[in-house]
Amino acid sequence: MDRSKFFRWIIWIITFFIIIAGVWFYHYILLYIIVSSIFAYLLFPIIKFGDRLQIPRPISILITYAVIIFLIILAINVIVPQIRQQAEEGAKVVKKAQTRLNEQKEGSMDISTALKTIGIEEFADVIKDMNSRFKFIDLDRHLNQMLDKFINLLAEIPQFLLNSISSIINLLAFIIVIPFISFFLLNDERKLMRAFFSVIPNRYFEFSLYLFEKIEESFGRFFRALLLETFIIFILAFIGLMILNIPYALTLSLIVGLTNPIKFFGPFLGVIPIFLVVLLGPTPNIYLLYTAILILIIQQFDSNYLFPSLIGKKIGMHPLWVLLTVISGGYAFGVVGLIFAVPVVFLIKTIIQVSAKSLKEFEII
Amino acid sequence: MSLYKKIFKQKPKTKVDTEKELTDFLSNVYLFKNLSNTDIRNLQNYIHKREYKQDEKIFKKGYPNIVMYIVKEGKLLRYLDYDKAKEEGVEIEAGHFFGVIGLFIDEKRTSTVIATKPSVLLAISKRDIKNFIAEYPKAGAKILYKIGKILSNDIVDANEQIVELEEENINLKEKVEDIKSEEDNG
């Protein structure tokens, strides 16, 4: 190895460590940057439209912000009271079930009567039947233990909400800072791009432009598709639940829509509240089957037609890989990991694929 | 210490031209001559200014064709087959542009371009031009019309060359025939 090559390697290594140190130093605000970039990215088509109408960028950004704030206020005033009412009613049902169960516990320990009290009569009959047939299992005791755990879990909900107040405040700060960063990203988007590409050496200029465009293309397509997908699933679930006349259709379909991006587990998570409402509410229990079929149909439509047509192609990851990615994401980052693991892995996969291809095309490797 | 120089010695600064100067230059480029000043300023947002040293390669035949260039300063040579023979390149001078075919078809680069003097190029990516045309359709139509005109002229020139070459070819064939028949007779 000759000297200049050796020194070049040393400079590369030093640069690498400086970048790592920089990322470490700024990692608290990294999330801010990422989220505001995504936010800016989603607003970008609107700002572009403003450009076409010859509206100066700062003004079109401010108009867009004003519209968004208006929509949020509208949502708070129209949708939230409805959701809250539904949630309160739901909570009442749960509370009633809880108190009844507590009363029941002090008296007899018969699980089937307990279930009857919270309105799951058919299920109670099944258990009674099973109890009489398989006496040796001592179903009562097991179910009672489960019930105890369930009651404890219910009791913990208010405490959990209290604990999250500090994180809610953090979230508020986050929400206030994001539009500021996004404003500058949107306003100076071109300047930032030109500044970024101006430091790239000539040899890599075309390559980096090519790479950037390719990645941005798949990134944008993916995120817009995800957003649209969530919205369409929400609407479909809402229509379906309205037809089936399930109570709290709005809240429930919102949950179905929001859990939908979680691959594999999302639909199951989304269907649990529906089942609870059907079980605990006045709806006949046969509707469990109907809602299950409804969700199944929506899922099939989503994975076979909607998602592929929105994103332009299949995700190209083996189902097993997707499954393992979701599980790992959940372990590493909780709910956020569940939602974003597959998109992030998909994006990294795309970046690697595109880079490898274009590095070869530009004869860099 | 050459390494020390490499890192710490500042490059002699080339003249940093202002945005205004760029606007003036662009409005004199044939391609953008009938655009309004607002259009040109909008277009400027999409332009990357690149500086090339003498003998530096801009791109090579076979690379993806995603950027078109306008020559602001300097001189370049275009080679259709750079690696093979010592062909004479076609000169590209200030005010000219190259790499425009990529805007319309997904061809790879059909030639290699090398700077023969220190050059300043203005680069616009294919996607950005498409964006610009979508955003400002009027200005876009003007640019596309100009490009069409230039490419049409190129086709007319190429046709004339083909006719000339064909005539030459026929003449050569006749000569070959003549020589052959002379040989047969002789």
Side-chain angles (χ1 to χ4, degrees):
Chain A
M1 198 189 285
D2 64 90
R3 252 171 78 104
S4 73
K5 220 175 192 177
F6 175 71
F7 278 117
R8 210 180 298 161
W9 267 105
I10 286 187
I11 289 171
W12 271 111
I13 289 166
I14 292 172
T15 316
F16 178 74
F17 279 110
I18 289 173
I19 289 171
I20 294 288
V23 170
W24 182 82
F25 181 70
Y26 286 111
H27 81 280
Y28 291 106
I29 57 152
L30 209 61
L31 190 63
Y32 282 72
I33 303 280
I34 291 171
V35 173
S36 8
S37 309
I38 293 172
F39 184 60
Y41 199 88
L42 293 173
L43 293 186
F44 198 60
I46 304 170
I47 307 300
K48 277 260 159 190
F49 184 71
D51 281 358
R52 221 173 291 180
L53 300 177
Q54 310 266 354
I55 304 170
R57 279 248 170 128
I59 293 174
S60 57
I61 296 168
L62 289 178
I63 292 174
T64 314
Y65 278 9
V67 170
I68 289 173
I69 290 169
F70 174 74
L71 286 177
I72 289 172
I73 290 171
L74 198 74
I76 288 170
N77 282 317
V78 175
I79 299 171
V80 169
Q82 234 174 321
I83 291 178
R84 205 174 59 191
Q85 190 201 341
Q86 296 185 357
E88 267 169 13
E89 277 176 42
K92 241 183 248 165
V93 171
V94 172
K95 196 92 186 166
K96 212 155 75 185
Q98 196 187 342
T99 45
R100 278 202 207 151
L101 281 172
N102 272 334
E103 281 166 17
Q104 202 72 41
K105 262 174 67 85
E106 270 150 35
S108 78
M109 297 290 274
D110 188 0
I111 185 70
S112 56
T113 15
L115 282 171
K116 221 171 240 169
T117 54
I118 57 171
I120 319 177
E121 296 196 15
E122 276 130 67
F123 190 51
D125 287 342
V126 170
I127 287 177
K128 211 172 191 178
D129 188 39
M130 275 173 64
N131 231 354
S132 58
R133 281 190 203 189
F134 309 102
K135 286 221 162 73
F136 52 92
I137 295 181
D138 199 4
L139 207 61
D140 256 8
R141 198 170 57 86
H142 287 299
L143 279 171
N144 258 322
Q145 278 173 356
M146 265 171 66
L147 218 60
D148 275 346
K149 277 184 188 161
F150 182 60
I151 290 168
N152 288 336
L153 208 68
L154 287 178
E156 273 168 18
I157 287 176
Q159 192 56 43
F160 173 74
L161 286 177
L162 265 179
N163 287 345
S164 21
I165 278 181
S166 67
S167 50
I168 287 170
I169 290 170
N170 277 342
L171 191 71
L172 275 178
F174 195 68
I175 287 169
I176 290 165
V177 174
I178 295 302
F180 271 100
I181 304 176
S182 300
F183 182 89
F184 290 109
L185 289 180
L186 281 169
N187 193 39
D188 300 332
E189 167 250 349
R190 279 279 132 200
K191 259 185 222 161
L192 290 171
M193 286 264 285
R194 285 167 77 190
F196 172 72
F197 284 111
S198 70
V199 296
I200 287 172
N202 286 337
R203 175 75 181 92
Y204 306 106
F205 169 65
E206 287 198 355
F207 161 74
S208 56
L209 204 62
Y210 186 64
L211 194 63
F212 176 83
E213 288 179 358
K214 287 266 172 192
I215 290 169
E216 200 233 27
E217 214 178 275
S218 38
F219 182 85
R221 211 195 288 155
F222 196 91
F223 265 85
R224 287 188 193 127
L226 215 60
L227 216 67
L228 204 60
E229 186 200 14
T230 303
F231 183 70
I232 292 173
I233 294 299
F234 159 64
I235 295 290
L236 287 178
F238 182 64
I239 293 170
L241 291 178
M242 287 294 273
I243 291 171
L244 290 177
N245 205 11
I246 306 283
Y248 323 124
L250 188 67
T251 319
L252 292 176
S253 47
L254 205 61
I255 295 171
V256 171
L258 289 177
T259 51
N260 187 63
I262 305 171
K263 296 291 153 210
F264 284 110
F265 302 109
F268 294 104
L269 291 177
V271 91
I272 288 171
I274 301 179
F275 280 3
L276 281 177
V277 164
V278 172
L279 277 176
L280 298 175
T283 324
N285 287 354
I286 188 68
Y287 276 74
L288 287 181
L289 184 66
Y290 297 156
T291 48
I293 291 172
L294 172 75
I295 298 298
L296 192 71
I297 291 172
I298 292 176
Q299 279 315 309
Q300 287 305 308
F301 167 73
D302 180 31
S303 53
N304 287 326
Y305 298 103
L306 187 62
F307 191 67
S309 71
L310 282 178
I311 204 155
K313 57 172 182 181
K314 291 246 161 81
I315 191 160
M317 284 165 71
H318 192 274
L320 184 65
W321 188 13
V322 174
L323 179 72
L324 296 177
T325 309
V326 176
I327 295 171
S328 312
Y331 271 122
F333 304 106
V335 182
V336 181
L338 280 180
I339 298 172
F340 288 108
V342 173
V344 168
V345 169
F346 171 75
L347 285 174
I348 292 171
K349 178 175 163 269
T350 316
I351 291 171
I352 291 171
Q353 274 175 341
V354 173
S355 324
K357 190 165 165 272
S358 32
L359 278 170
K360 263 179 219 153
E361 280 180 325
F362 282 100
E363 294 180 355
I364 292 169
I365 51 167
Chain B
M1 218 22 207
S2 75
L3 183 79
Y4 177 84
K5 273 184 192 165
K6 255 186 203 165
I7 300 172
F8 295 105
K9 203 182 141 195
Q10 287 208 327
K11 278 183 197 166
K13 271 198 176 160
T14 46
K15 194 178 58 185
V16 180
D17 39 11
T18 56
E19 294 283 303
K20 176 85 177 62
E21 202 194 321
L22 197 60
T23 316
D24 288 344
F25 171 77
L26 284 174
S27 52
N28 282 320
V29 171
Y30 175 69
L31 207 52
F32 310 122
K33 228 167 199 171
N34 44 6
L35 294 189
S36 71
N37 265 0
T38 331
D39 288 336
I40 286 184
R41 247 174 279 129
N42 288 330
L43 183 70
Q44 235 164 288
N45 285 330
Y46 292 94
I47 287 178
H48 303 275
K49 216 181 90 200
R50 312 291 310 172
E51 285 172 22
Y52 291 85
K53 281 180 261 166
Q54 191 172 343
D55 296 330
E56 201 172 350
K57 214 176 277 177
I58 318 305
F59 54 73
K60 224 174 123 184
K61 189 174 178 175
Y63 283 8
N65 194 346
I66 54 145
V67 184
M68 77 165 266
Y69 295 92
I70 301 156
V71 185
K72 186 166 181 292
E73 290 161 28
K75 204 179 254 180
L76 306 101
L77 281 178
R78 178 211 301 270
Y79 299 93
L80 285 178
D81 215 336
Y82 183 68
D83 291 331
K84 247 186 187 170
K86 280 182 191 168
E87 67 164 283
E88 262 183 51
V90 183
E91 243 174 43
I92 309 172
E93 287 177 326
H96 289 201
F97 59 89
F98 56 96
V100 80
I101 295 172
L103 291 180
F104 303 103
I105 46 176
D106 276 330
E107 276 284 317
K108 302 268 177 201
R109 296 281 188 201
T110 53
S111 55
T112 303
V113 175
I114 290 167
T116 50
K117 283 183 182 172
S119 306
V120 178
L121 303 182
L122 307 176
I124 313 177
S125 89
K126 178 178 169 177
R127 197 185 63 159
D128 283 345
I129 291 191
K130 282 183 179 167
N131 284 343
F132 179 81
I133 292 169
E135 252 179 80
Y136 310 100
K138 271 189 187 170
K142 284 179 193 168
I143 296 174
L144 285 177
Y145 182 77
K146 276 279 170 68
I147 294 176
K149 212 170 169 181
I150 292 162
L151 291 179
S152 305
N153 277 331
D154 284 354
I155 292 174
V156 171
D157 285 350
N159 280 342
E160 275 171 10
Q161 273 182 5
I162 289 172
V163 171
E164 274 172 27
L165 287 173
E166 263 177 3
E167 273 172 13
E168 223 172 279
N169 196 15
I170 290 169
N171 286 339
L172 285 174
K173 266 184 188 164
E174 276 172 4
K175 269 183 192 168
V176 170
E177 290 289 312
D178 284 350
I179 292 169
K180 261 188 188 171
S181 60
E182 264 175 36
E183 272 180 359
D184 286 347
N185 291 339

